[in-house]
């Protein structure tokens, strides 16, 4: 063994300097025992083995596993909160926002600050925003000359139930299709500003490596072309829809749009991306859902979804709408 250690690696054509016989047999478990020791190398590693700490007890292993589970749970929770902050524009949502229905994810993609601002306003402001968004959507869609649409907008302003045909969504879509006063108006679809992809939290440093002693006393330091000199190296540890959806010349259907890609946190009115290759959407088909959304029982849901449907209705011109909605929220906050 000592001669093999001195030579380290046998080159081609050299005779073997050492050889070993390993034998195994059944025996009850017990501590290691050295029966015979005849080399300096063996003495070195036997001494190293005797100086190792005693293995952990079953109780110590159980406690270590419990602490590991706790650490993994904490890391998982931190990662979940980190991603949730990113999804909601850099801050955690309130419990109310987490549970709100409607198109909250869609509006987050366009203006997460507005989503959080609406959450902090009272029901009166939220209703006013919902009514304004529905009106702006109908204006953009050219529906202000359609009596049954303007009657519904008046009902929103006066906090009354929506009149027919809005009381039955199917009838509303029938009226949209059959009324000759409804204009055929389209616009390039609204596209939210781009944002960098999500980046997970930086992984915690790996558990330290296990260091084995590099050489026994008296090693002459001779090295050859080493292929397997693992001892003395650092060893890594073990791896651880009621309404129809427009199809011709129209983008996403009003009854099916609930998200617009990845949430985004714009700080200023965004400039839409070039319209080349984007779809054109039928504005009346998005304006009417804005009216329905504004009448939702929950004022926050009404505001969030009505604004999102209005953004979709305005298409590429949505920044002007969002600027007006933000102004309304800011003015009402100062009152």
């Amino acid at each position: 063994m000592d001669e093999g250690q001195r030579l380290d690696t046998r080159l081609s054509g050299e005779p073997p300097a050492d050889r070993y016989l390993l034998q195994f047999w059944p025996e009850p478990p017990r501590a290691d025992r050295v029966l015979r020791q005849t080399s300096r190398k063996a003495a070195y590693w036997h001494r190293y083995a005797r100086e190792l700490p005693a293995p952990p007890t079953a109780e110590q292993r159980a406690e270590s596993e419990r602490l590991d589970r706790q650490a993994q749970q904490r890391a998982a929770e931190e990662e979940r909160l980190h991603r949730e902050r990113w999804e909601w524009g850099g801050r955690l949502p309130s419990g109310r926002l987490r549970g709100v229905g409607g198109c909250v994810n869609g509006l987050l993609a366009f203006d997460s600050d507005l989503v959080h601002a609406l959450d902090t306003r009272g029901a009166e402001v939220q209703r006013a925003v919902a009514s304004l968004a529905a009106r702006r959507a109908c204006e953009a869609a050219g529906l202000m000359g359609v009596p049954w649409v303007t009657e519904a907008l008046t009902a929103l302003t006066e906090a009354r139930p929506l009149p027919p045909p809005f009381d039955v969504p199917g009838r509303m879509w029938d009226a949209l299709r059959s009324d000759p006063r409804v204009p055929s108006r389209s616009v390039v679809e609204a596209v939210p500003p781009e944002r960098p992809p999500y980046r997970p939290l930086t992984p915690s440093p790996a558990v330290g490596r296990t260091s084995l002693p590099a050489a026994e006393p008296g090693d002459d330091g001779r090295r050859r072309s080493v292929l397997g000199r693992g001892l003395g190296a650092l060893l890594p540890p073990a791896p651880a829809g009621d309404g129809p959806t427009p199809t011709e010349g129209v983008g996403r259907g009003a009854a099916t749009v609930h998200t617009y890609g990845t949430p985004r946190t714009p700080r200023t009115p965004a400039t839409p991306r070039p319209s080349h290759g984007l779809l054109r959407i039928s504005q009346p088909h998005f304006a009417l859902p804005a009216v329905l959304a504004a009448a939702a029982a929950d004022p926050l849901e009404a505001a969030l979804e009505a604004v999102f449907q209005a953004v979709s209705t305005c298409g590429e011109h949505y920044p002007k709408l969002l600027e007006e909605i933000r102004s309304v929220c800011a003015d009402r906050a100062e009152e």
Side-chain angles (χ1 to χ4, degrees):
M1 179 178 278
D2 288 341
E3 179 64 10
Q5 166 68 14
R6 187 184 70 81
L7 294 174
D8 185 68
T9 302
R10 182 166 68 95
L11 301 181
S12 177
E14 291 184 341
D18 52 353
R19 62 181 181 175
Y20 305 91
L21 172 66
L22 300 181
Q23 291 181 312
F24 301 88
W25 62 92
E27 184 84 5
R30 61 179 177 178
D32 293 344
R33 183 160 55 98
V34 176
L35 302 180
R36 185 181 179 190
Q37 176 180 295
T38 59
S39 71
R40 185 182 64 180
K41 187 66 176 176
Y44 169 76
W45 285 109
H46 291 157
R47 181 174 66 253
Y48 171 75
R50 284 192 293 269
E51 292 173 355
L52 291 176
T57 64
E59 291 77 11
Q60 290 171 329
R61 285 196 301 270
E63 177 64 9
S64 177
E65 291 169 358
R66 185 186 68 83
L67 295 176
D68 285 346
R69 285 194 300 271
Q70 285 184 348
Q72 292 172 2
Q73 291 168 357
R74 284 195 300 270
E77 179 65 8
E78 289 174 4
E79 182 66 37
R80 185 190 68 79
L81 293 175
H82 183 260
R83 184 177 184 90
E84 189 176 33
R85 284 190 186 93
W86 176 81
E87 291 172 343
W88 289 86
R91 71 188 86 174
L92 290 175
S94 67
R96 191 176 179 210
L97 268 182
R98 283 194 182 97
V100 75
C103 295
V104 59
N105 288 339
L107 188 55
L108 271 174
F110 287 90
D111 195 334
S112 62
D113 285 344
L114 179 58
V115 171
H116 292 284
L118 285 170
D119 181 38
T120 61
R121 303 298 184 263
E124 182 180 353
V125 176
Q126 293 162 354
R127 287 295 181 193
V129 166
S131 180
L132 175 63
R135 179 171 294 275
R136 293 292 181 261
C138 292
E139 290 172 351
L143 295 175
M144 297 305 291
V146 181
W148 53 272
V149 173
T150 55
E151 289 172 8
L153 294 175
T154 301
L156 284 176
T157 303
E158 298 175 355
R160 294 187 287 105
L162 293 179
F166 287 91
D167 55 340
V168 180
R171 293 174 57 189
M172 179 192 73
W173 295 116
D174 290 339
L176 182 67
R177 283 191 297 265
S178 61
D179 194 331
R181 293 167 296 187
V182 174
S184 176
R185 185 176 292 187
S186 66
V187 70
V188 173
E189 65 178 329
V191 178
E194 294 181 352
R195 67 176 300 189
Y198 172 70
R199 296 186 181 278
L201 285 170
T202 304
S204 0
V207 179
R209 294 170 178 262
T210 303
S211 178
L212 298 180
E216 66 275 15
D219 189 352
D220 60 7
R222 180 181 178 185
R223 297 292 182 267
R224 306 179 81 174
S225 179
V226 179
L227 300 178
R229 196 176 184 85
L231 298 179
L234 289 176
L235 305 181
D242 290 317
T245 299
T247 56
E248 295 184 2
V250 177
R252 300 172 176 85
T256 60
V257 177
H258 291 284
T259 60
Y260 251 92
T262 309
R264 160 78 175 172
T265 314
R267 300 299 180 191
T268 57
T271 301
R273 289 180 288 184
S275 60
H276 177 70
L278 297 178
L279 299 175
R280 296 192 68 84
I281 61 100
S282 170
Q283 290 177 287
H285 284 84
F286 282 89
L288 296 190
V291 177
L292 287 178
D298 183 342
L300 176 58
E301 178 180 335
L304 293 172
E305 185 159 3
V307 171
F308 174 67
Q309 297 292 357
V311 165
S312 301
T313 305
C314 293
E316 58 187 319
H317 309 296
Y318 76 85
K320 183 177 179 181
L321 168 71
L322 290 184
E323 184 178 1
E324 181 180 10
I325 298 295
R326 282 192 292 264
S327 298
V328 171
C329 288
D331 292 343
R332 296 298 184 96
E334 295 173 358
E335 294 178 359

